[in-house]
Amino acid sequence: MTTVVTTPTGKIGSRVVRVLVQAGVRPRVLLREPGNLDRATRELVEVHRCDQGDAEAVVRATRGAERLLWINPPDSDDDPIAGHARMGANAARAVTENGIGRTVFVSSIGAEKGSGVGEIDGLARAERSLNETGASVSQLRCGYFFTNLLTQADEIRAGVLRTPWPLDFPMAWVDPRDIGEVAAARLLSDAWSGQRVRAVHGPEDLTFSQVAGILGEVLGHDVVPERISDDRLRASLSAVGLSERRIEGIVGMSAGMRENFTPEQRRDPVTTTPTTLGSWAWENLRPRP
C-alpha cells in the first residue's frame, strides 16, 4: 500500500510521517525542497520533489498511491481563497486520475459555512472539489491552532494577548501534533469509506480570557487579554507587508465565526484530543535559559 504525505516537514505532516514509519509504513513524501527533510527521516521515506501548486507534478508524484494526506501548504498566492481552492483542485485531479482510494484532507472548523469566513472559504472549496471526485474522503475540520500564538510570542511574554475575537467567546483550540495523530490514524485504518467529516477539537473549548489565564500560569506573570478592532488588526498585518487580499482573508476568519456560530460537529470523545494548552505553552512559550 502506497501512502502519500504532503507538507512532511510541517507541524502536522511531520507528525503523520513519524507515526506512519513507526507503524511500519514507508510513506511517499512530497515537498518542494527535499533538502529540508532531515537525514534520518529521508532514510525511512520515499522522497518526491513536488510543488503542490503544479497540477501536473502532483498527478505524477501520486501515481500508484492508494492513500493520500493532503494539506494545503502556505502559499504565496495574493488571494488566499483562490490559492486554497486551486490546491484542492490539484488534489482532486490526482485522486481522479490516479484512482486514489482514500484521502484525508486537513480543513478547518468554519468550512461548513461555505462562504463568509475569509481564508477558510478556500478550504471549503477544496472540500467540495475532493467530494466531487466520488472517492472516499475524510475532511478533518480542525480547531484554532495553539501554534497561532507563536506569532505573538514576544507580546505574550511581555504580558498581553491581543485578539479580534470577543474575549468571552469559547472555541476549540488544538495542538497541530494531535491533528497529525488523527490524520495518521485515518490513513492507517481500513474501517471507513465514503465521504465523511471528522472534527478535531482539541482537549477543551477556551475563551481568550481563559487562554490568557493559562499562559499567565505557565509564564509566571499576568497575561492580559485585549480585544482589538478589525481595523487595528488590518493595520498590524499591513505593517508586516501583507497584501490587502491576504489581510482580508485573515480578518474574515474571525469576523465570520465570532457571532452566532456553532461548529457543525459537536465535541465528543472522538473529536477530543489530549494535549492541553498549558502543556504546549510550557514547551513552546517559556523563555529558554
Side-chain angles (χ1 to χ4, degrees), residues 98-121:
N98 292 327
I100 300 172
R102 288 187 174 95
T103 297
V104 177
F105 174 58
V106 177
S107 185
S108 173
I109 288 174
E112 57 262 54
K113 292 189 72 172
S115 63
V117 202
E119 190 169 334
I120 296 172
D121 291 358

Side-chain angles (χ1 to χ4, degrees), residues 63 65 93 109 111 113 143 167 179 185 200 216 221 274:
R63 284 185 183 136
R93 178 178 166 186
I109 288 174
K113 292 189 72 172
L167 300 183
I179 299 170
V200 190
H221 60 71

